[in-house]
Amino acid sequence: MLDMLRQTCSSMDLLFLSKRITYHVSAASDMSSVFADPEKIQSVVTELLRRIVKRMPHGSMVNISLNEVSMRNGRGIEISLSGVDESESGKNLTTFLQELFGEGIGGSSSSLFACRESIISQGGQLSVDLPKPQQPVFKVVLPTVGTSSLAISEQRTFKYDISITNIANLRKRFGIKKSCVFVSQIENYVRALVRHPIDIVMSVPARGVITAIYDTSEGTANSVASRISKRLGTEEFRIGKKIVDVKFKYHLTSLPHAVLGKGK
């Protein structure tokens, strides 16, 4: 996998040089082999790197790392790709997710959507996070050799929308700014209940909506959602020192997914 990353970067030297972009590759030692088609993985990594580099300012650096991680169905190898995104969309995680999940969350088909479908076809996961404005991190997680192909084939992607139905009253009582901060606090609370950043959590503070997107087998989708709703239902929330009566509404849907192929 490390050799593939180096070959991919070398094949893109002209693009890197055109913007004076450098890259740094780091990897843990003694990693397991990946159970996936190397050509498909290289194609996805190339597309992600091309996207990252084109949106970076001249003279900056792409960070690439390889690590072994836990997946729900076994061990996996995570490829992390990050760089500064100076475009307007680089400020908004929702924009990235609309591209990544396509029509599943209101966007249209894109290169990111195609990349996600390709990774899913190999039993893997593709996610994006925005830990800081204009600094997106793309993570490709692939199963290692020995991971159950049956468990992989059963994986589906689900979207769990959590709406604060009394957000208008909270905005009226505490003001817009404090209410938006409060929604972000609940977003962070939900993030701690899932496998972030493999599972994605985002919010639209102005609407009082928090969305969790996660991969799991179809039979356990409700159990993940139930765990989140039960914790939210028993938690005591505050804005400042005042206890807040928060009313939630939940909606679980399945997102489009690819037909799985065979890894090599």
Side-chain angles (χ1 to χ4, degrees):
M1 184 60 68
L2 181 58
D3 288 341
M4 182 275 289
L5 287 177
R6 287 172 173 161
Q7 290 171 8
T8 302
C9 290
S10 295
S11 69
M12 301 177 68
D13 275 345
L14 288 178
L15 179 58
F16 285 121
L17 288 171
S18 68
K19 299 189 68 173
R20 294 183 288 109
I21 300 293
T22 57
Y23 58 86
H24 177 260
V25 181
S26 62
S29 59
D30 301 324
M31 288 188 297
S32 303
S33 299
V34 166
F35 181 74
D37 183 338
E39 291 186 2
K40 286 189 176 182
I41 303 310
Q42 186 168 18
S43 177
V44 168
V45 171
T46 299
E47 180 60 34
L48 292 176
L49 281 174
R50 183 177 291 114
R51 176 193 175 89
I52 291 170
V53 171
K54 286 184 176 180
R55 296 172 177 225
M56 294 179 73
H58 284 68
S60 49
M61 176 183 286
V62 179
N63 289 299
I64 306 167
S65 64
L66 270 177
N67 292 286
E68 192 159 345
V69 297
S70 294
M71 300 177 72
R72 281 198 172 89
N73 49 303
R75 301 296 293 173
I77 299 298
E78 177 190 87
I79 307 170
S80 176
L81 309 165
S82 62
V84 175
D85 186 333
E86 61 180 357
S87 68
E88 280 300 310
S89 62
K91 302 176 183 178
N92 191 342
L93 179 60
T94 302
T95 301
F96 284 105
L97 296 181
Q98 286 177 338
E99 292 185 52
L100 188 63
F101 291 95
E103 296 178 358
I105 60 170
S108 57
S109 183
S110 68
S111 61
L112 281 185
F113 182 78
C115 286
R116 172 178 173 266
E117 293 290 276
S118 184
I119 293 300
I120 289 176
S121 76
Q122 300 301 298
Q125 300 164 321
L126 172 58
S127 64
V128 61
D129 195 19
L130 198 64
K132 296 180 181 179
Q134 295 188 300
Q135 293 188 32
V137 180
F138 294 93
K139 293 182 182 291
V140 177
V141 181
L142 298 162
T144 58
V145 173
T147 297
S148 169
S149 59
L150 177 60
I152 291 172
S153 66
E154 293 175 345
Q155 295 290 297
R156 295 288 301 271
T157 303
F158 295 89
K159 181 168 75 82
Y160 194 43
D161 290 316
I162 305 161
S163 302
I164 301 174
T165 59
N166 59 333
I167 187 65
N169 292 336
L170 296 179
R171 287 162 65 93
K172 184 176 180 180
R173 180 181 176 188
F174 296 100
I176 295 175
K177 185 176 180 179
K178 286 186 177 180
S179 297
C180 287
V181 171
F182 177 65
V183 174
S184 297
Q185 289 173 349
I186 296 180
E187 174 190 354
N188 290 329
Y189 183 85
V190 173
R191 186 173 284 130
L193 300 177
V194 296
R195 295 168 61 87
H196 178 77
I198 293 176
D199 297 331
I200 298 167
V201 180
M202 63 177 181
S203 68
V204 183
R207 293 174 51 202
V209 177
I210 302 96
T211 298
I213 300 174
Y214 57 89
D215 291 320
T216 189
S217 60
E218 193 159 6
T220 61
N222 282 316
S223 64
V224 175
S226 178
R227 183 177 74 248
I228 295 172
S229 61
K230 284 182 179 178
R231 290 290 296 272
L232 289 175
T234 57
E235 185 68 19
E236 184 177 84
F237 294 102
R238 296 173 181 266
I239 295 182
K241 295 183 179 180
K242 295 183 178 180
I243 297 175
V244 180
D245 179 23
V246 187
K247 300 185 185 301
F248 294 105
K249 180 181 178 181
Y250 307 96
H251 184 61
L252 178 66
T253 55
S254 176
L255 294 180
H257 73 297
V259 177
L260 293 177
K262 294 182 179 179
K264 294 183 180 180

